[in-house]
Amino acid sequence: MAEEKCAPLFETKRAKGRLFYKVFSLSLFVAICFIWVFRVSHIPRESEDGKWGWIGLLCAELWFGLYWLLRHPFRWNPLFREPFRHRLSQRYEKVLPKVDIFVCTADPGIEPAVMVINTVLSVMAYEYPTEKLSVYLSDDAASDITFYALLEASIFAKQWLPFCRKFKVDPTSPAAYFKTIVSSTHPNAPAKEFHTIKKLYQDMESRIENAANMGRVPEEVHSKHKGFSQWDSYSSRSDHDTIIQILLDGKDSSAKDVDGNVMPILVYLAREKRPHVAHNFKAGAMNSLIRVSSMISNGDIILNVDCDMYSNNSQSLRDALCFFMDEDKGQEIAFVQTPQCFENITKNDLYGGSLQVIYEVDFPGLDSLGGPLYIGTGCFHRREILCGKKFNDQYKKDWNEYKNTGLLKEASLHELEEKSKALASCTFEKNTLWGKEMGLQYGCSVEDVITGLSIKCRGWKSVYYNPQRKAFLGVAPNTLPQALVQHKRWSEGGFQVLLSKHSPAWYAYGFISPGLQMAYCYYNLWVFLSWPTLYCCIIPSLYLLKGIPLFPQMSSPWFIPFAYVMLGDSSYCLMEFLWSGGTVKGWWNDLRLCLYKRTTSYLFAFVDTIFKFFGFSESTFIVSSKVAEEKVSQRYEKEIMEFGNSSPMLTLLATLALLNLFCLLGMLLKQVFINEDGLRIFDTMALQVLLSGVLVLINVPVYQGLFLRKDKGRLPISVAAKSTALALTACLLFISIS
Ligand SMILES: *[C@@H]1O[C@H](CO)[C@@H](O)[C@H](O)[C@H]1NC(C)=O
Ligand SMILES: CC(=O)N[C@H]1CO[C@H](CO)[C@@H](O)[C@@H]1O
């Protein structure tokens, strides 16, 4: 027993096979150095021989090589964590801390109310003492439909929570649960109770959907619940008072479930918004939630999830607590991040949406360097640290001294709601440290990453927990433009972090480990990949068309390092991808998306950030859509690329694809009709032919979308016309220059 008492609450394992990795990387690095030497020592004299093209490639290869070096800290020493839940309950069951769960939603159009309440219900049903659980929904659209849905959910929960407890239901999101039951014939609940609850759910779902379709709440409901009166003064989404409603207060008799157990506290919040006051997007919403919850429940631990990320494991709260409550190492852990996983990834992941290499390889690596990034969802925080507490080694939280803070127990509900309103008003933060040193940071489109970084700079660590059975499941983008826009936001945010006062490149020096600095830079430098990638997609192909070699010929010894780096690195990446659970075709798709995001998302992000920096445009936050038309979904299931409406991004993509096709075809025609020593070109220009060839192969879906497909998801005709004209002009211009 005594031994059990000091046994740790979690264990940490190191990855194997690191020596092989280190030797292999070293060999690649030597080859990269050879490439640099070759480039520098073989610069052509005359400009017609490709002098400028050569120098450009030298710059691109230098940059790619240096960027490649930043990849290594991740892979040096990956860690894997394993919590011991049973030890936690043996030691701390009586004094488990209070936990506040924040769910954020921003737009009922693309985040339907039914999805939102499924997420809310799934976290309300955590296997955890209900009197210690509070769930807050922040609705930045202040939609009465969402409020209505939450009201319905609070009533349904009275049946749902006992049902989950009794029959050990998991996942606890009703929609997900009923979907899994369709496919398996053995629900763990008896048929009668199962059908009753299913009927209840479906009725509720159709009531909410009806209200959403009509665009208003039914009259009889409206008059019955006083909460709706708060919409009387509402004028628009961006101009309204704070709306707050404690739907379940954790003490009244109306807050008990059908078995008579207390239900978790449930609160609806739409913070005040005024047209002339910056609302700071999700960071602003989170900060309002932090303040309002401190008044109501004041849980020690805060979990925040996006409204599409339902809980797929009712134990994950306890898992996370194992890290915080470990007597030995728990004191320095500021947050526990779980990976962002998705339920609607198709087998070969057409849009590279699962980010599996990041979550299976990068993040365990980050864990050994001081902890993963905070990625804004599926993350457990200590409240005090999120509110700006600085690290000191004397800090020790005594969990046994459980205090019931928060005013809910004393104050009347009405009083409390009024007090909380002031905390969510849009003037509250004036002349305070909120958004700077307290709460989530403002002014960056990846508020989460920069907040995580500032927490680390204050001396804290974080932990990455990636359980076999995923803790949360969300929805990934299912069209190409959506995926590209999402990457644009991320890369733009990364660039902002780099330029911010917490920049990992300079400020963080001395505060976080050099490895972690490099790792942050690896993500924050994304936008700078756009120019060299564009260069490599355009120039070598044009030179190929013209017949000027830019790479060593096959019979030269310099060919070896090029071949080794290309082959070695791609096989390594393929291996890593397969190891992370992907397929070969998935890797090919990922490669394609990697190319597309570099040539479009990152480029547009770069240009936008520069414009913003000089004050030419405003920041915007685009919420990725979580609903799809039926036809779009069908194509998604079949892994047919969905291009959507005409946009500059698509034109650029199509132009690049056609340019490569024209160059390759032009070169081949020239060989057939003009040159006598036909095949010699495959020796002198092997790598250029290979590069163009790979680019053409990777772009096959674009050619199909331009010329072959008939469905609605194809590339628009206008894009086809524009891009063909552009690509042809570029080829002709380049040929005629000299
Ligand atoms: C989600 O949970 C179910 C069990 O409820 C499990 O079978 C499934 O594998 C989980 N999904 C993921 C992605 O881990
Ligand atoms: C938005 C979207 O496409 N959602 C889909 C995710 O995947 C599931 C199952 O694969 C579909 O049912 C959803 O429509």
Side-chain angles (χ1 to χ4, degrees):
M1 195 62 210
E3 210 167 81
E4 185 70 0
K5 203 163 177 79
C6 38
L9 290 179
F10 70 91
E11 72 171 358
T12 303
K13 285 197 202 115
R14 286 173 194 287
K16 297 201 182 75
R18 289 300 94 185
L19 186 65
F20 164 77
Y21 171 74
K22 288 173 189 175
V23 171
F24 174 68
S25 299
L26 191 68
S27 73
L28 270 183
F29 183 62
V30 171
I32 289 176
C33 291
F34 273 111
I35 292 180
W36 290 340
V37 170
F38 167 77
R39 278 283 168 223
V40 175
S41 60
H42 287 71
I43 299 178
R45 293 231 176 81
E46 300 295 327
S47 65
E48 299 98 83
D49 297 337
K51 183 170 174 192
W52 294 112
W54 193 278
I55 291 175
L57 267 185
L58 168 63
C59 298
E61 279 161 5
L62 260 177
W63 170 226
F64 282 140
L66 293 176
Y67 188 75
W68 176 84
L69 286 178
L70 292 179
R71 193 175 85 186
H72 289 88
F74 293 110
R75 285 150 179 83
W76 220 243
N77 184 20
L79 297 182
F80 303 95
R81 315 272 191 179
E82 191 61 48
F84 302 118
R85 235 182 272 143
H86 62 280
R87 290 186 190 159
L88 179 82
S89 45
Q90 271 171 11
R91 255 178 274 170
Y92 292 113
E93 189 62 38
K94 291 267 151 47
V95 291
L96 288 173
K98 289 208 288 188
V99 178
D100 293 350
I101 303 177
F102 300 167
V103 180
C104 296
T105 178
D107 189 336
I110 49 187
E111 300 168 333
V114 171
M115 182 180 82
V116 175
I117 60 157
N118 267 291
T119 302
V120 168
L121 285 166
S122 76
V123 292
M124 280 174 84
Y126 267 134
E127 201 275 284
Y128 201 73
T130 43
E131 70 279 7
K132 292 179 179 170
L133 211 52
S134 312
V135 181
Y136 296 80
L137 176 68
S138 157
D139 178 14
D140 258 2
S143 145
D144 53 350
I145 309 275
T146 307
F147 175 69
Y148 167 58
L150 196 67
L151 181 64
E152 286 277 0
S154 71
I155 298 163
F156 175 68
K158 292 179 184 175
Q159 316 269 346
W160 179 245
L161 267 45
F163 181 80
C164 289
R165 214 171 302 133
K166 204 148 129 204
F167 302 112
K168 304 227 174 317
V169 166
D170 222 347
T172 44
S173 143
Y177 172 68
F178 294 127
K179 216 184 315 170
T180 57
I181 293 302
V182 171
S183 46
S184 81
T185 46
H186 297 289
N188 26 10
K192 180 159 160 283
E193 306 197 30
F194 175 77
H195 287 296
T196 317
I197 194 102
K198 187 168 180 182
K199 176 100 188 7
L200 270 178
Y201 173 74
Q202 283 170 337
D203 289 351
M204 171 182 75
E205 187 179 47
S206 64
R207 280 197 302 275
I208 295 172
E209 274 168 359
N210 278 341
N213 291 339
M214 287 195 309
R216 65 189 159 76
V217 178
E219 212 39 62
E220 67 277 12
V221 186
H222 202 287
S223 50
K224 233 196 278 167
H225 198 278
K226 66 175 175 37
F228 290 104
S229 65
Q230 300 191 61
W231 268 269
D232 292 349
S233 63
Y234 171 92
S235 54
S236 81
R237 189 183 282 200
S238 57
D239 189 8
H240 60 80
D241 294 334
T242 303
I243 300 172
I244 181 166
Q245 189 72 47
I246 303 177
L247 287 167
L248 296 171
D249 65 2
K251 57 177 182 182
D252 273 5
S253 55
S254 63
K256 299 243 162 76
D257 64 25
V258 288
D259 288 353
N261 294 314
V262 180
M263 306 243 288
I265 294 172
L266 182 64
V267 179
Y268 173 89
L269 170 71
R271 63 197 164 119
E272 183 190 14
K273 281 209 187 151
R274 299 296 170 208
H276 54 276
V277 186
H279 57 79
N280 295 305
F281 310 99
K282 191 171 156 192
M286 282 286 292
N287 285 346
S288 297
L289 280 172
I290 293 174
R291 290 193 299 269
V292 167
S293 65
S294 74
M295 181 73 83
I296 297 173
S297 52
N298 203 21
D300 288 313
I301 303 293
I302 290 175
L303 159 65
N304 83 287
V305 288
D306 283 348
C307 64
D308 62 325
M309 301 274 290
Y310 70 84
S311 156
N312 194 49
N313 185 348
S314 61
Q315 300 286 345
S316 33
L317 199 50
R318 288 170 179 268
D319 288 339
L321 286 176
C322 290
F323 296 103
F324 290 123
M325 299 179 80
D326 183 73
E327 292 82 354
D328 188 23
K329 302 202 195 71
Q331 315 292 348
E332 55 180 21
I333 297 172
F335 60 88
V336 175
Q337 179 68 60
T338 62
Q340 190 175 6
C341 298
F342 306 97
E343 66 168 339
N344 66 336
I345 297 288
T346 49
K347 179 156 166 276
N348 299 313
D349 193 9
L350 189 57
Y351 304 114
S354 67
L355 310 172
Q356 50 201 352
V357 173
I358 291 190
Y359 293 132
E360 300 297 327
V361 180
D362 288 7
F363 271 39
L366 280 171
D367 209 351
S368 68
L369 302 170
L373 279 59
Y374 166 38
I375 53 169
T377 182
C379 188
F380 301 81
H381 280 272
R382 281 182 205 267
R383 176 184 288 270
E384 334 168 67
I385 299 178
L386 196 53
C387 290
K389 192 183 178 77
K390 287 210 174 63
F391 178 73
N392 74 55
D393 21 330
Q394 305 307 314
Y395 172 77
K396 196 158 170 62
K397 178 129 192 116
D398 188 1
W399 300 101
N400 286 311
E401 186 187 305
Y402 169 73
K403 276 203 288 301
N404 204 352
T405 52
L407 289 176
L408 189 56
K409 291 289 176 283
E410 300 112 52
S412 84
L413 218 51
H414 180 70
E415 224 176 291
L416 203 56
E417 287 177 355
E418 287 310 310
K419 273 195 180 143
S420 309
K421 267 188 191 168
L423 297 179
S425 81
C426 60
T427 48
F428 182 87
E429 292 181 351
K430 241 188 210 153
N431 304 322
T432 65
L433 291 176
W434 284 99
K436 299 192 217 48
E437 280 162 40
M438 292 174 80
L440 274 84
Q441 314 237 326
Y442 295 155
C444 178
S445 56
V446 287
E447 72 292 328
D448 36 24
V449 175
I450 197 165
T451 304
L453 178 61
S454 79
I455 289 175
K456 297 233 178 69
C457 286
R458 273 188 263 126
W460 301 100
K461 293 210 159 53
S462 61
V463 155
Y464 179 57
Y465 173 50
N466 184 10
Q468 194 81 48
R469 172 157 153 213
K470 302 303 175 209
F472 305 97
L473 294 179
V475 183
N478 65 350
T479 70
L480 183 65
Q482 272 177 26
L484 293 179
V485 166
Q486 189 180 53
H487 283 289
K488 172 169 176 273
R489 179 164 74 79
W490 287 342
S491 58
E492 199 174 322
F495 191 21
Q496 288 165 347
V497 174
L498 192 76
L499 298 175
S500 77
K501 95 173 207 284
H502 284 108
S503 175
W506 44 86
Y507 171 83
Y509 178 74
F511 292 106
I512 58 179
S513 70
L516 195 60
Q517 260 184 296
M518 283 170 76
Y520 266 98
C521 287
Y522 184 78
Y523 291 131
N524 297 156
L525 286 170
W526 276 347
V527 287
F528 294 102
L529 290 170
S530 57
W531 298 106
T533 309
L534 273 172
Y535 189 88
C536 292
C537 286
I538 299 174
I539 302 297
S541 307
L542 286 176
Y543 275 94
L544 175 69
L545 182 63
K546 216 165 165 180
I548 300 175
L550 291 178
F551 292 92
Q553 56 190 35
M554 224 194 295
S555 47
S556 146
W558 290 108
F559 184 83
I560 299 171
F562 279 93
Y564 182 66
V565 169
M566 285 182 191
L567 260 181
D569 197 51
S570 14
S571 356
Y572 176 75
C573 289
L574 173 62
M575 212 185 66
E576 215 168 50
F577 195 86
L578 296 180
W579 183 84
S580 312
T583 61
V584 177
K585 205 164 162 211
W587 174 73
W588 184 243
N589 288 336
D590 194 59
L591 206 61
R592 177 181 313 115
L593 210 88
C594 193
L595 176 74
Y596 290 178
K597 66 193 187 198
R598 285 179 176 201
T599 51
T600 60
S601 307
Y602 296 175
L603 181 72
F604 283 71
F606 181 83
V607 174
D608 262 14
T609 315
I610 298 292
F611 274 7
K612 255 176 239 164
F613 200 73
F614 291 106
F616 290 131
S617 65
E618 283 286 299
S619 50
T620 46
F621 188 102
I622 300 165
V623 183
S624 359
S625 177
K626 278 133 199 169
V627 277
E629 280 174 51
E630 195 177 331
K631 280 271 162 46
V632 176
S633 289
Q634 279 171 9
R635 283 193 285 269
Y636 178 69
E637 306 278 313
K638 285 194 219 137
E639 305 197 319
I640 300 173
M641 199 163 259
E642 184 77 28
F643 292 100
N645 297 332
S646 159
S647 72
M649 277 195 187
L650 288 185
T651 310
L652 180 56
L653 274 190
T655 308
L656 289 176
L658 287 176
L659 183 91
N660 276 288
L661 185 66
F662 295 157
C663 288
L664 195 69
L665 289 180
M667 184 278 295
L668 289 176
L669 286 179
K670 239 164 86 183
Q671 293 317 304
V672 175
F673 291 111
I674 303 171
N675 276 16
E676 293 84 51
D677 53 354
L679 293 180
R680 230 188 81 74
I681 195 160
F682 293 103
D683 174 34
T684 55
M685 306 192 47
L687 285 174
Q688 253 156 298
V689 175
L690 181 74
L691 186 63
S692 280
V694 169
L695 284 171
V696 167
L697 280 182
I698 233 174
N699 276 313
V700 165
V702 174
Y703 308 132
Q704 288 171 337
L706 281 171
F707 305 119
L708 303 176
R709 279 166 54 185
K710 297 267 179 312
D711 57 77
K712 275 240 175 73
R714 56 164 299 172
L715 274 152
I717 307 279
S718 63
V719 172
K722 267 187 269 179
S723 54
T724 313
L726 281 173
L728 270 182
T729 321
C731 292
L732 294 177
L733 264 184
F734 191 80
I735 292 185
S736 59
I737 275 176
S738 52

